[in-house]
Amino acid sequence: DAGVTQSPTHLIKTRGQQVTLRCSPKSGHDTVSWYQQALGQGPQFIFQYYEEEERQRGNFPDRFSGHQFPNYSSELNVNALLLGDSALYLCASSRTGNQPQHFGDGTRLSIL
Amino acid sequence: QQQVKQSPQSLIVQKGGIPIINCAYENTAFDYFPWYQQFPGKGPALLIAIRPDVSEKKEGRFTISFNKSAKQFSLHIMDSQPGDSATYFCAAKEETSGSRLTFGEGTQLTVNP
């Protein structure tokens, strides 16, 4: 039973570019959340997707957007990349109904 | 606004010791408090979680103590092992308001042999 899988593992971009990160939830999970984890910090909630709609959003600018597909997989898009966007981006999935969240191993994004 | 404060930032113990990590929260609407363990290059893994209707929960060598009036909770690791060396995060969530977890800053634990 595969857990949460994220791709790519690492990514290097330059300022101003756009990036798309991908997440496949754990089997049986229908809710996906995205977090940003800066080096040496705890994860910060970006947003949650359920039934292909954004349901909850953290304190992140509109440059951060997402999508959920009918198979529950999800994408995180970041436009106009800034140096400060360098971080580990984590995807977490769960079943609806306040079930525990399971995290993937993240995508390490570096902005030059 | 930092809503979950975690301490200490780092902790070193000898094998067999009992490291204790503390967290304090501000939002009284929080009603679910998980602890996550993270190894380098890996995502956080859920260790144990508690809800405010109990004051203590044990799972294997991990124990959460919860003090609702003080708005504090802590993680105790019994008989710690070098393999427990990792970063530990406390978190909190309002169960009725979606998936949003609010994390503490993390504690880097080192267990020496």
Side-chain angles (χ1 to χ4, degrees), chain B residues 5 25 68:
Chain B
K5 292 191 174 183
Y25 62 97
K68 186 175 181 177

Side-chain angles (χ1 to χ4, degrees), chain A residues 33-103:
Chain A
S33 299
W34 287 90
Y35 293 81
Q36 180 194 66
Q37 185 176 23
L39 198 60
Q41 301 292 318
Q44 298 288 320
F45 177 79
I46 302 175
F47 41 54
Q48 172 205 352
Y49 275 84
Y50 171 66
E51 291 186 334
E52 303 179 48
E53 289 189 15
E54 182 183 298
R55 301 291 180 171
Q56 203 177 17
R57 189 177 183 92
N59 188 26
F60 279 82
D62 292 345
R63 298 187 297 110
F64 290 77
S65 63
H67 189 77
Q68 186 179 35
F69 299 94
N71 67 351
Y72 309 120
S73 67
S74 177
E75 288 181 350
L76 165 65
N77 301 293
V78 187
N79 294 323
L81 288 166
L82 304 173
L83 292 177
D85 295 332
S86 294
L88 179 67
Y89 288 84
L90 295 163
C91 172
S93 73
S94 62
R95 290 191 179 99
T96 51
N98 296 318
Q99 296 300 309
Q101 292 181 51
H102 296 254
F103 284 81

Side-chain angles (χ1 to χ4, degrees), chain A residues 31-33 35 37 40-45 48 56-59 88 90 94 98-106, chain B residues 2 9 32 36 38 41-46 51 87 89 93-106:
Chain A
T31 300
V32 172
S33 299
Y35 293 81
Q37 185 176 23
Q41 301 292 318
Q44 298 288 320
F45 177 79
Q48 172 205 352
Q56 203 177 17
R57 189 177 183 92
N59 188 26
L88 179 67
L90 295 163
S94 62
N98 296 318
Q99 296 300 309
Q101 292 181 51
H102 296 254
F103 284 81
D105 288 336
Chain B
Q2 178 63 38
Q9 190 173 20
Y32 174 72
Y36 284 85
Q38 187 175 28
K42 297 293 186 181
L46 179 64
R51 290 180 171 84
T87 301
F89 293 96
K93 187 169 85 73
E94 297 178 44
E95 292 250 77
T96 57
S97 65
S99 299
R100 179 177 188 158
L101 284 167
T102 299
F103 282 84
E105 302 97 327

